[in-house]
Amino acid sequence: MFNSKKPTVLLLGRWQPWHEGHSALFERAVSKTGQVVIQVRDVKDSSGGDDQDDNPFSFKEISEDISNKLEKLGYRINEDFIIQFVPNITNITYGRGVGYKIEKESFNSDIESISATKIRKNLRDEGKID
């Protein structure tokens, strides 16, 4: 069972769509604490910020996609991760250190080169999304 009192990693994103790079990020995150909160920004059909105007997928579609892909990797929803719908967050600010870190993860070029923009283009070319 997901434990809200246990140290947890937070992943915030559009996830338009969730791809192998996101899965690699998740696996690194879950290895830190054993559980992850995945927050999905409310961006369908709106701008997610500079150069983030292509957001065709709904929260329901994204949530199902994330759950299916992570479950195929052996992770369990409501145990290893939960998914939350959040507003279109474009800025994260904080004051002094209050018990958490903000970390940028780096990956090899195979993972870093994965692009949801290219994935969306391929899905459109294949007629799978508008």
Side-chain angles (χ1 to χ4, degrees):
M1 176 64 76
F2 194 90
N3 181 348
S4 66
K5 299 294 185 186
K6 182 179 172 189
T8 305
V9 175
L10 168 67
L11 296 179
L12 169 67
R14 295 180 303 147
W15 321 117
Q16 293 274 333
W18 185 271
H19 55 64
E20 289 180 31
H22 297 143
S23 291
L25 180 62
F26 172 86
E27 289 191 302
R28 193 167 291 172
V30 77
S31 74
K32 294 173 191 257
T33 62
Q35 64 181 31
V36 175
V37 171
I38 301 169
Q39 292 187 332
V40 179
R41 294 170 51 204
D42 184 12
V43 294
K44 180 172 174 32
D45 298 327
S46 68
S47 178
D50 292 342
D51 299 320
Q52 295 185 14
D53 293 331
D54 185 10
N55 300 297
F57 300 106
S58 70
F59 173 71
K60 182 178 186 286
E61 292 168 316
I62 294 166
S63 296
E64 290 172 356
D65 189 40
I66 292 170
S67 294
N68 291 337
K69 287 176 178 169
L70 291 181
E71 286 172 1
K72 285 180 184 173
L73 295 174
Y75 298 103
R76 297 154 306 189
I77 192 163
N78 297 321
E79 292 187 34
D80 303 308
F81 67 97
I82 60 173
I83 301 172
Q84 298 175 335
F85 182 69
V86 298
N88 185 9
I89 295 169
T90 58
N91 296 67
I92 298 173
T93 61
Y94 69 98
R96 60 183 172 78
V98 291
Y100 53 83
K101 301 175 198 172
I102 297 177
E103 300 175 316
K104 180 185 185 309
E105 298 289 348
S106 296
F107 294 90
N108 66 41
S109 61
D110 290 342
I111 296 296
E112 295 265 348
S113 67
I114 297 171
S115 165
T117 300
K118 292 177 187 173
I119 292 169
R120 288 189 302 274
K121 181 185 180 321
N122 289 340
L123 290 170
R124 283 190 177 96
D125 290 348
E126 295 168 3
K128 293 181 179 176
I129 63 172
D130 294 328

